[in-house]
Structure formats: C-alpha cells, structure tokens
Amino acid sequence: MSEPLPSTVTIYEVGPRDGLQNEAAIVPVEAKAEFVRRLVAAGLPIVEATSFVHPTWVPQLADAAELMTMLGGAGKAMPVLVPNERGLDRALELGLEHIAIFGSATETFARKNLNRGLDDQFAMFEPTVTRARAAGLDVRAYVSMCFGDPWEGAVPIDQVVSVGKRLFDLGASQLSIGDTIGVGTVGHVKELIAGFDAAGMAPDHLAMHFHDTYGQALANAYSALEEGITTFDASAGGLGGCPYARSATGNLATEDLVWMLNGLGIETGVDLDAVVATSVWMAELLGRPSPSAVVRALAQSPA
Ligand code: HMG
Ligand code: MG
C-alpha cells in the first residue's frame, strides 16, 4: 500500500559522472569543474563528481585526479565511483571522503563492466569497502541491471534483492537501485521495493537510479515516492548512460524530477532555473540539445 508522500526529497546528482562518462567528446577538465560548481551553486546537495576506474575503460573520466584537485576542499564531500582497491588508493591520496562501489545484478553485465563474474565482484568490493570504512569514508553501493539486462532479459526480483543486500551489507550507507537500461515500469518498481523491504531493507536505505530510455523514469520515480523512497539519482539535462551497456541512454533529468516535485510541494532545495541554465550551457558545449522536456520548455520560455 502506498505511503503518504514525503515532504522533502534528496536529489543525488550524477551528471558529471554518469552523464559525462558516456559522451563521445572528452570535455575539458576546466569545464567539468565549472559544471560541478554550477550544480552545487544551484542547490544540489550531493554531486557525484567522477570515477576512479581504469582510465582505458572510461577515458572520458581519466582526468579524475586532476578534477578533484581542481575542486579542492569542496570536492572532498563529493562522492566518486571506486571499483577496487586501486581506485580507493587514488581517492585516499586526494583525501576524498565518499566513495561509491558499483555491482551488477547479472552475470553478463558484471563481466562486461567489471571484468569479473557475479560472485567474483564481491572479492573485489569486500576489501575495498573494509579499508574505506576503516579510513572513515562513507560508502554508497550501486546495483545495476535491476529491472532488465540487454543480454539476459528479465532479471528476477529475488536475484536483484540478494545481490543488492550483499553489496549493502559490505558496509554501505545506502543502496542505489539502478535501472541501467531504463526498461522498468511502475508496478515493477513497487514489487522490487517490496522485495527489498521483505529482506529487511527499508526504503530509507534505498535510492532509485532511473535511466529514461523508454520514457518511464519520471513515472517510476513517482511510483517509488509513493513507496517511501526519498533519495533519487538524476542528471542535469538528462545526460548519461553506461559505456558498457548498449541501449543505456540518459538518466532521469534533474529538471524533470524537480519540476514534478515542485508541483507536488516537495522540497528539494534546488533552484530549477539555475540547473536549466547549467544544462543549456553544457548542451552548447557538447554540441547537442538536452533530451529533457523541462529544459527545452524552460529554455525557450520568455524571460
Ligand atoms: P581489470 O582489467 O580486470 O583490472 O579491470 P585488474 O584488476 O586486472 O588490473 C589491471 C591493471 O589495471 C593494473 O595495472 C591495475 O593497476 C590497473 P598494471 O598492473 O597492469 O599496470 N587498474 C587501475 N588503474 C587505475 N584505476 C583503477 C584501476 N583498477 C585496476 N581503479 C576494473 C577491472 C574494475 C578496473 C575495470 O573493469 C573498470 O575500470 N571498470 C569500470 C567500468 C565503468 O566505469 N563503468 C561505468 C560505471 S557503472 C554505471 O554507469 C552504472 C551506474 O550508473 C548505475 C546504473 O545505471 O545501473 C553506477
Ligand atoms: Mg547509471
């Protein structure tokens, strides 16, 4: 049964990481720093800045250390993706305080994204999280392919819950449920949240990470909101995708989410006009318009 809607929602901004990791063009590091600063100035409370992954796997984010150095003290509070101990060492060298590991609910995607089997991924994450926690870092865990996988098709709910809970139990403070290829629909969202609840993971431990490939992301976010979820991942302008998952397109656009939440009277602390202006600026830099309907509408509306 649906809960009353929450009065506030936390938006976890992933544009600089999930967005830019998938761009064909390499964005100059100065522009990335400017992007992050503008998102923070627009009131986004959490901005995931980059990834400490293998630079040949994701060349778009090979400048992670340079970016975090450029962001200085403010960057320490920003989460970064870290898959393994090598990535953790790189984050620790810079004094960063928040990392995010990213596991897969399916065998095929674990191999394609992490070069590890489904079970072997835990051997990589376990020492990474243990060392990070011992060093006082906060750890978020992502689980990908929670609604469907381009190679394996439908992914059973109990499989997603089992992998997600195992990742969370390594020592994470939050589990982000990824619809990597955007195939989820509202009923499926409710079933998955109920599956986690039944396994002892209440909605306050979960975040939802929707990609908008099939145009379902906003409806799915509303469906999750009804189930008590209060953290949503989104990317400014709807940038995004995963280079190792064909058919993954942009994330739920931050602006689309803020527009809906504003309409519901739910507080986010985000200045919508400032995010739109940032996305318009980034779209010009990338040379293509934002896929977000809200960005397009507000960018065109008379002042
Ligand atoms: P591997 O090749 O198996 O790595 O890659 P390895 O452990 O065998 O090491 C090989 C070499 O890489 C070694 O160097 C390591 O030091 C080096 P050598 O000794 O040969 O000179 N190395 C590294 N260098 C820098 N940073 C590192 C690092 N790790 C190893 N962190 C690995 C395994 C996990 C590293 C690789 O598969 C990888 O980098 N994968 C990342 C893929 C990725 O970033 N995907 C996108 C993010 S996930 C996503 O977008 C989904 C999400 O948004 C949620 C959703 O939508 O569902 C989060
Ligand atoms: Mg993603």
Side-chain angles (χ1 to χ4, degrees):
M1 206 170 76
S2 296
E3 306 277 332
L5 296 184
S7 56
T8 60
V9 152
T10 302
I11 301 182
Y12 182 108
E13 171 65 45
V14 295
R17 193 281 301 171
D18 208 342
L20 298 186
Q21 76 180 7
N22 209 40
E23 283 301 321
I26 307 265
V27 175
V29 69
E30 294 79 10
K32 288 177 178 170
E34 174 73 7
F35 188 35
V36 170
R37 288 191 197 105
R38 287 180 72 150
L39 293 168
V40 171
L44 284 152
I46 307 173
V47 179
E48 190 172 80
T50 186
S51 299
F52 286 85
V53 296
H54 195 295
T56 58
W57 280 65
V58 184
Q60 292 88 340
L61 304 183
D63 56 8
E66 206 181 340
L67 173 64
M68 298 316 289
T69 303
M70 217 171 251
L71 291 170
K76 294 198 189 337
M78 295 175 193
V80 296
L81 288 200
V82 159
N84 55 12
E85 290 189 87
R86 175 78 188 102
L88 176 64
D89 288 337
R90 293 172 61 203
L92 287 173
E93 273 165 31
L94 294 162
L96 307 185
E97 292 164 359
H98 297 264
I99 64 160
I101 58 165
F102 49 103
S104 170
T106 67
E107 179 70 32
T108 313
F109 188 62
R111 291 195 182 282
K112 291 196 182 280
N113 200 46
L114 299 166
N115 203 22
R116 300 284 182 283
L118 188 63
D119 276 326
D120 299 337
Q121 65 181 332
F122 293 100
M124 183 168 76
F125 294 137
E126 201 271 331
T128 308
V129 175
T130 303
R131 278 187 50 213
R133 298 288 293 120
L137 273 62
D138 171 67
V139 179
R140 175 184 233 225
Y142 282 97
V143 56
S144 287
M145 299 300 175
C146 295
F147 293 85
D149 172 291
W151 301 277
E152 298 186 17
V155 185
I157 283 180
D158 57 355
Q159 183 176 324
V160 176
V161 170
S162 151
V163 174
K165 191 167 176 344
R166 224 174 132 186
L167 288 166
F168 179 78
D169 287 345
L170 292 175
S173 57
Q174 185 173 65
L175 180 73
S176 176
I177 311 292
D179 186 6
T180 321
I181 56 167
V183 291
T185 50
V186 293
H188 196 164
V189 170
K190 289 191 189 305
E191 280 173 39
L192 193 53
I193 294 169
F196 275 104
D197 209 13
M201 283 193 66
D204 57 342
H205 286 129
L206 304 178
M208 302 306 293
H209 179 104
F210 294 118
H211 284 260
D212 204 23
T213 322
Y214 288 77
Q216 304 297 300
L218 197 57
N220 288 342
Y222 186 77
S223 179
L225 204 55
E226 286 188 315
E227 301 310 309
I229 301 289
T230 56
T231 301
F232 291 88
D233 299 0
S235 83
L239 290 168
C242 177
Y244 292 99
R246 67 188 148 83
S247 68
T249 63
N251 292 82
L252 167 61
T254 306
E255 293 89 342
D256 295 16
L257 179 62
V258 173
W259 181 268
M260 179 183 80
L261 296 173
N262 283 352
L264 290 165
I266 297 174
E267 291 288 331
T268 61
V270 176
D271 176 344
L272 182 57
D273 291 336
V275 190
V276 169
T278 303
S279 294
V280 169
W281 165 78
M282 182 47 76
E284 278 167 14
L285 201 92
L286 296 171
R288 58 182 177 80
S290 160
S292 157
V294 172
V295 171
R296 286 200 305 271
L298 291 180
Q300 282 164 16
S301 60

